[in-house]
Amino acid sequence: MITITLIGAGNVATHLYNALKKCEKVAVNQWFSRDLTQISKYNTEVSITDNLQELKESDVYIIAISDDAIEDVSKQLPFDNRLVVHTSGSVRLYDIDMKHHKRGVFYPLQSFSKAVELNFSEVPICIEALRKEDFNTLKTIGEALGCKVHKVNTNQRKALHLAAVFANNFTNQIYRLAHEICESEAADFDILKPLIKETARKINTVSPYKAQTGPAKRGDKKTIKKQLKMLDNDMQKDVYELLTKSIKQTHGQH
Amino acid sequence: MITITLIGAGNVATHLYNALKKCEKVAVNQWFSRDLTQISKYNTEVSITDNLQELKESDVYIIAISDDAIEDVSKQLPFDNRLVVHTSGSVRLYDIDMKHHKRGVFYPLQSFSKAVELNFSEVPICIEALRKEDFNTLKTIGEALGCKVHKVNTNQRKALHLAAVFANNFTNQIYRLAHEICESEAADFDILKPLIKETARKINTVSPYKAQTGPAKRGDKKTIKKQLKMLDNDMQKDVYELLTKSIKQTHGQH
């Protein structure tokens, strides 16, 4: 049994706690939040605290808090040389205080919403660790959660985190612009949802490069001109122009 | 039984033919292609022709050819006053020659790849018609295919078609840029696929506006600056900056 102390009470920490408590090979020993009211409803099932000095001994300490606070909290941990990991996509492994020689990263690459329950089998975990046995401990936790586990280095993790901003935030903003365009003519955005689903599904079997279609890919200047003329919103126009240019660049159209 | 003459042999026509031939309430009477070799393998199951003068009588003529050719082909149809429809997202209903008083549009809003079989229950059909009975005929065909059928006007159809360029082509290009960023550090793009799937899934329950998260939405200047610094490709940087600006505009961050 791997024992875990969870530090933090945000989206990631709360989703992790609810998933970890169902796992057989791991046990959450204690849960820390500086604001105890955030986790007080769990006090019948797990030991909770808002005092770092009261932290019990565990095999792993998972720090799931905002990026800016990780370094500071890791310094305040009242022990040396235990396995301490954070869950951030962009914070350096070495930002965990160096008195914890056993450092690691346990980065779940998924979009977490407090309201929506998450199926952890759909959450890839990117793991970094300095020592092989720490990697194996983190891998066991990831697999106990039903996750797919990936060994990454710091640069790979940072690239994945940045690519995730494109794949999640920017894709979602493209959906938003599509929504606006529908609304401008009182067309039902729901009609686009099967296309959005199919667009995401397609790249499971072909690369985004091969999946591309449409006027920019074909170099169809007439349609591009016609569509640009339809857009009367500057931001929509700018996005249309830049992504058309980007597709042309990718596919060698000029 | 509704009889159909299919005109064209591209992606849409071929997918339509293969789906229509399985339907109970409709029958493809004849299939026209100016290049007969495109459809000759079907000649044991349907009457094929490359001569518009040989077209038989049907209840509906579906013109599924490139936008530019629709008007011209509709002019060449050797009969008057039968129901003639096209399948385009952007061509005007009135581009179908006016001697066919029964005109309509039967626009399947989905991404068609020749290689990938399509489940028509995932294809919304946008229908335009001048007469109620023609609308009903087209609706019956759509429903026979298992499609969800939507009544739209020309402006709505054009808006949907333009929004589809965003939701499909531009989204796919965002995936491509994410792929490039992964590759630049030899990180595995597959790790992003569950996030891409979840991003598309999420808007089934919440609007893209509500689904947005991330540094631009939060107005987190520090992370935005750090991430821009990581990008050494101009196009990736331009897209990052523009979509960050767009998210900020949508969510009132400055």
Side-chain angles (χ1 to χ4, degrees), chain A residues 5-8 30-34 49-56 61 63 65 69-70 72-79 82:
Chain A
T5 296
L6 193 59
I7 295 170
Q30 198 175 19
W31 193 356
F32 167 90
S33 169
R34 62 182 175 179
T49 179
D50 59 358
N51 182 352
L52 288 173
Q53 300 306 316
E54 281 177 6
L55 289 191
K56 301 180 194 172
Y61 295 78
I63 305 181
I65 60 181
I70 291 171
D72 189 46
V73 165
S74 78
K75 274 192 189 131
Q76 293 179 52
L77 296 178
F79 51 75
R82 295 191 197 149

Side-chain angles (χ1 to χ4, degrees), chain B residues 148-201:
Chain B
K148 244 190 155 173
V149 159
H150 303 271
K151 190 178 177 181
V152 297
N153 62 37
T154 300
N155 286 343
Q156 287 170 333
R157 174 166 53 88
K158 288 186 176 177
L160 284 163
H161 183 250
L162 180 52
V165 169
F166 281 72
N168 180 249
N169 304 162
F170 293 168
T171 293
N172 188 69
Q173 182 65 7
I174 297 291
Y175 297 162
R176 162 69 192 184
L177 298 177
H179 194 174
E180 287 176 8
I181 292 165
C182 290
E183 277 187 335
S184 70
E185 294 292 348
D188 186 357
F189 177 65
D190 282 359
I191 301 176
L192 284 179
K193 288 180 178 172
L195 178 65
I196 285 170
K197 191 175 162 192
E198 174 67 14
T199 305
R201 199 198 57 76

Side-chain angles (χ1 to χ4, degrees), chain A residues 113 168 172-173 199 202 208 246, chain B residues 113 168 172-173 199 202 208 246:
Chain A
S113 309
N168 179 249
N172 188 69
Q173 182 65 7
T199 306
K202 218 175 191 177
S246 179
Chain B
S113 309
N168 180 249
N172 188 69
Q173 182 65 7
T199 305
K202 217 174 191 178
S246 180

Side-chain angles (χ1 to χ4, degrees), chain A residues 68 90 109-113 116 118 122-124 126 150 152 155-156 158-182 184-189 191-204 207-209 211-215 222-223 226-227 230-231 235-236 238-240 242-247 249-251, chain B residues 68 90 109-113 116 118 122-124 126 150 152 155-156 158-182 184-189 191-204 207-209 211-215 222-223 226-227 230-231 235-236 238-240 242-247 249-251:
Chain A
D68 286 343
S90 58
L109 200 165
Q110 190 44 283
S111 164
F112 292 85
S113 309
V116 186
L118 202 65
E122 294 288 327
V123 181
C126 300
H150 303 271
V152 297
N155 285 343
Q156 287 171 333
K158 286 185 177 178
L160 285 162
H161 183 250
L162 180 52
V165 169
F166 281 73
N168 179 249
N169 303 162
F170 294 167
T171 294
N172 188 69
Q173 182 65 7
I174 298 292
Y175 298 161
R176 163 68 193 185
L177 297 177
H179 194 173
E180 286 175 9
I181 292 165
C182 290
S184 70
E185 293 293 348
D188 186 356
F189 177 64
I191 301 176
L192 284 180
K193 288 181 179 173
L195 178 65
I196 285 171
K197 191 176 161 192
E198 174 66 13
T199 306
R201 198 198 57 75
K202 218 175 191 177
I203 55 150
N204 285 318
S207 69
Y209 180 86
Q212 194 58 277
T213 60
K222 198 175 144 192
T223 300
K226 226 165 84 178
Q227 294 195 324
M230 279 180 68
L231 294 167
M235 179 54 77
Q236 291 164 10
D238 289 349
V239 170
Y240 188 102
L242 184 61
L243 286 170
T244 293
K245 190 177 156 193
S246 179
I247 294 170
Q249 202 179 77
T250 297
H251 294 275
Chain B
D68 286 344
S90 57
L109 200 164
Q110 189 47 283
S111 164
F112 291 86
S113 309
V116 186
L118 202 66
E122 294 288 328
V123 180
C126 301
H150 303 271
V152 297
N155 286 343
Q156 287 170 333
K158 288 186 176 177
L160 284 163
H161 183 250
L162 180 52
V165 169
F166 281 72
N168 180 249
N169 304 162
F170 293 168
T171 293
N172 188 69
Q173 182 65 7
I174 297 291
Y175 297 162
R176 162 69 192 184
L177 298 177
H179 194 174
E180 287 176 8
I181 292 165
C182 290
S184 70
E185 294 292 348
D188 186 357
F189 177 65
I191 301 176
L192 284 179
K193 288 180 178 172
L195 178 65
I196 285 170
K197 191 175 162 192
E198 174 67 14
T199 305
R201 199 198 57 76
K202 217 174 191 178
I203 54 150
N204 285 318
S207 70
Y209 180 85
Q212 194 57 277
T213 59
K222 199 175 145 193
T223 300
K226 225 164 84 177
Q227 295 195 323
M230 279 180 67
L231 294 166
M235 180 54 79
Q236 290 163 10
D238 289 350
V239 170
Y240 188 103
L242 185 61
L243 285 170
T244 293
K245 189 176 156 194
S246 180
I247 294 170
Q249 203 178 76
T250 298
H251 294 275

Side-chain angles (χ1 to χ4, degrees), chain B residues 4-34:
Chain B
I4 296 172
T5 296
L6 193 59
I7 295 170
N11 275 343
V12 173
T14 306
H15 277 289
L16 261 181
Y17 174 74
N18 283 309
L20 285 168
K21 74 178 176 190
K22 293 179 202 141
C23 297
E24 285 189 0
K25 288 183 186 163
V26 302
V28 180
N29 228 355
Q30 197 174 20
W31 192 355
F32 166 91
S33 169
R34 60 183 177 180

